[in-house]
Amino acid sequence: MWKEENNQLVRTFEFKDFVAAFSFMTRVAFVAEKMNHHPEWSNVYNKVHIKLSTHDAGNVVTDKDRKLAEAIDKLL
């Protein structure tokens, strides 16, 4: 579930292993590039932590972030 905190949408995803986590990140990368809206994220083994905010709008959550979050959820 996405949470809004500190002017960002944040969510941590957990997978069975590193390969599954990295595969998810690859799929997210293609979606983000197509939407021209890129996440701040990190990966440690089987966990992917994503933060979304719109830099052009002053680092706040906008519809661009909500749309990307929805698109990311559809990848699961």
Side-chain angles (χ1 to χ4, degrees):
M1 176 73 56
W2 291 94
K3 294 180 185 178
E4 191 167 338
E5 54 187 46
N6 299 321
N7 293 317
Q8 297 176 318
L9 288 179
V10 297
R11 184 168 178 187
T12 299
F13 298 87
E14 189 169 341
F15 300 91
K16 66 179 181 172
D17 56 26
F18 175 76
V19 172
F22 198 84
S23 175
F24 170 73
M25 291 179 74
T26 301
R27 294 191 311 274
V28 170
F30 284 111
V31 170
E33 185 65 17
K34 186 175 181 180
M35 295 177 76
N36 193 31
H37 193 54
H38 305 94
E40 177 182 331
W41 58 5
S42 63
N43 165 241
V44 178
Y45 181 58
N46 68 331
K47 294 181 182 172
V48 177
H49 184 70
I50 300 177
K51 298 178 184 179
L52 303 175
S53 66
T54 302
H55 305 292
D56 295 346
N59 295 315
V60 296
V61 175
T62 67
D63 284 341
K64 288 176 82 171
D65 303 298
R66 289 182 182 89
K67 288 177 183 176
L68 181 53
E70 183 179 320
I72 290 170
D73 285 347
K74 288 180 180 178
L75 296 173
L76 297 173

